[in-house]
Amino acid sequence: MSLSAKDKDTVKLFWAKVADKAEEIGSDALSRMLAVYPQTKTYFSHWKDLSPGSAPVNKHGKTIMLGVADAVASIDDLNAGLLALSELHAFTLRVDPANFKILAHCILVVLSIKFPKDFTPEVHVSLDKFLAALARALSEKYR
Amino acid sequence: MVEWTDFERATIADIFSRMQYEVVGPAALARCLIVYPWTQRYFGNFGNLYNAAAISGNPMVAKHGTTILHGLDRAVKNMDNIKATYTELSVLHSEKLHVDPDNFKLLSDCLTIVVAAQLGNDFTGEVQAAFQKFLAVVVSSLGQQYH
């Protein structure tokens, strides 16, 4: 299920539309993930405040979306573009890769809320594939 | 037995009471067939499913999407006994339709995304959690008669 030329164009076009809301999207997606999938909170036991819209959640949501933006820019070679992030997740963070799917779903839900007209089924499928490819690149160094 | 909080019961009742089944059902099913094209394997007699536009405009998809939502309605009305409510439907999906139960989750994700678009900011994290918990119970109940 690799990204076709059409998928890449769709992702880049859609990203251009939503990029200026990236921080909000990241913060909302992360807040949602912590609420809907409480087991994900285990990765953030070092935060004082895990509530939606809290400072650590907002900051980390922004960090994540900057990573997604990097991925969009490296869409033609995600493994190369995300190498450093893959090493970080593999050796330092050791996030179980199942959680990438969970966060991806939350990002899609937020996009559906914020961009109901633009997040068509065609955009949805390309983005879903892109986020899956991103997750694979992020898991590249795990073992 | 699934335990539901008052918030969860109220949220599910509210979402479905506001929902236009004949809009949401078709949109969710069409989205599922487009985003996860292998799900089309169950709809060989639905005619033109060649591209997203064809799927979105297909009247059989629309009709079936509505049927699915009316099926969900039975769970909404029997939240304390979804498992028993779906025994026959589970047998149907397993013995007659031969649907891989993994597909229930795919459709349920698409339904979540369609409902999110409908409710906008009202679809908060807590509301999403309740909605996904409800769908998870439905999915599990639909899978229970498979053997």
Side-chain angles (χ1 to χ4, degrees):
Chain A
M1 292 198 263
S2 49
L3 297 173
S4 66
K6 180 162 178 265
D7 287 323
K8 293 180 189 179
D9 285 342
T10 302
V11 169
K12 285 191 265 196
L13 259 167
F14 185 75
W15 184 257
K17 279 190 204 160
V18 315
D20 61 354
K21 288 214 157 48
E23 272 184 62
E24 271 178 61
I25 293 169
S27 165
D28 193 350
L30 191 59
S31 300
R32 244 163 233 284
M33 184 187 79
L34 297 168
V36 180
Y37 304 93
Q39 71 272 20
T40 58
K41 292 195 279 192
T42 55
Y43 290 97
F44 304 103
S45 50
H46 56 289
W47 285 355
K48 285 198 176 44
D49 187 356
L50 283 162
S51 54
S54 68
V57 170
N58 282 349
K59 180 162 179 277
H60 198 59
K62 180 178 174 186
T63 302
I64 291 173
M65 290 317 273
L66 284 175
V68 174
D70 276 349
V72 176
S74 316
I75 204 168
D76 289 315
D77 191 348
L78 285 170
N79 281 350
L82 296 176
L83 180 59
L85 276 174
S86 181
E87 288 179 344
L88 176 73
H89 284 75
F91 304 128
T92 309
L93 302 177
R94 290 176 289 193
V95 174
D96 189 307
N99 294 287
F100 299 147
K101 217 166 175 228
I102 287 175
L103 181 57
H105 172 68
C106 292
I107 290 172
L108 295 177
V109 169
V110 171
L111 293 176
S112 183
I113 289 172
K114 290 191 185 301
F115 306 97
K117 297 266 176 319
D118 294 301
F119 192 64
T120 60
E122 294 95 310
V123 168
H124 179 168
V125 60
S126 295
L127 265 172
D128 193 40
K129 287 175 74 175
F130 168 67
L131 290 174
L134 206 175
R136 272 198 306 277
L138 225 46
S139 335
E140 185 59 24
K141 292 290 170 200
Y142 270 60
R143 56 178 177 175
Chain B
M1 247 295 270
V2 182
E3 300 284 339
W4 302 102
T5 64
D6 291 340
F7 173 80
E8 286 164 348
R9 285 182 197 277
T11 297
I12 298 305
D14 180 56
I15 290 177
F16 281 86
S17 71
R18 291 205 255 164
M19 199 189 282
Q20 293 169 274
Y21 288 18
E22 69 287 354
V23 169
V24 171
L29 183 59
R31 197 167 275 259
C32 186
L33 296 170
I34 293 166
V35 177
Y36 309 109
W38 54 94
T39 57
Q40 293 169 26
R41 74 189 306 282
Y42 302 109
F43 301 101
N45 63 334
F46 269 35
N48 187 356
L49 297 176
Y50 298 135
N51 54 43
I55 292 170
S56 299
N58 185 312
M60 289 180 82
V61 170
K63 179 159 181 274
H64 195 62
T66 309
T67 300
I68 290 173
L69 270 219
H70 283 294
L72 263 182
D73 193 61
R74 288 161 59 178
V76 176
K77 298 202 159 39
N78 289 285
M79 276 179 75
D80 287 314
N81 214 346
I82 295 178
K83 224 168 141 188
T85 305
Y86 278 158
T87 303
E88 275 177 52
L89 270 174
S90 180
V91 171
L92 174 76
H93 282 77
S94 155
E95 312 275 294
K96 184 151 179 278
L97 305 175
H98 307 294
V99 177
D100 181 341
D102 281 353
N103 291 279
F104 302 147
K105 174 124 202 323
L106 299 179
L107 179 58
S108 128
D109 282 350
C110 288
L111 183 58
T112 300
I113 280 172
V114 169
V115 168
Q118 295 262 313
L119 298 183
N121 289 324
D122 286 350
F123 199 64
T124 62
E126 289 79 22
V127 168
Q128 183 181 344
F131 191 66
Q132 289 197 200
K133 176 177 168 179
F134 170 74
L135 289 179
V137 174
V138 166
V139 163
S140 162
S141 303
L142 270 176
Q144 48 149 356
Q145 295 299 328
Y146 279 67
H147 61 95

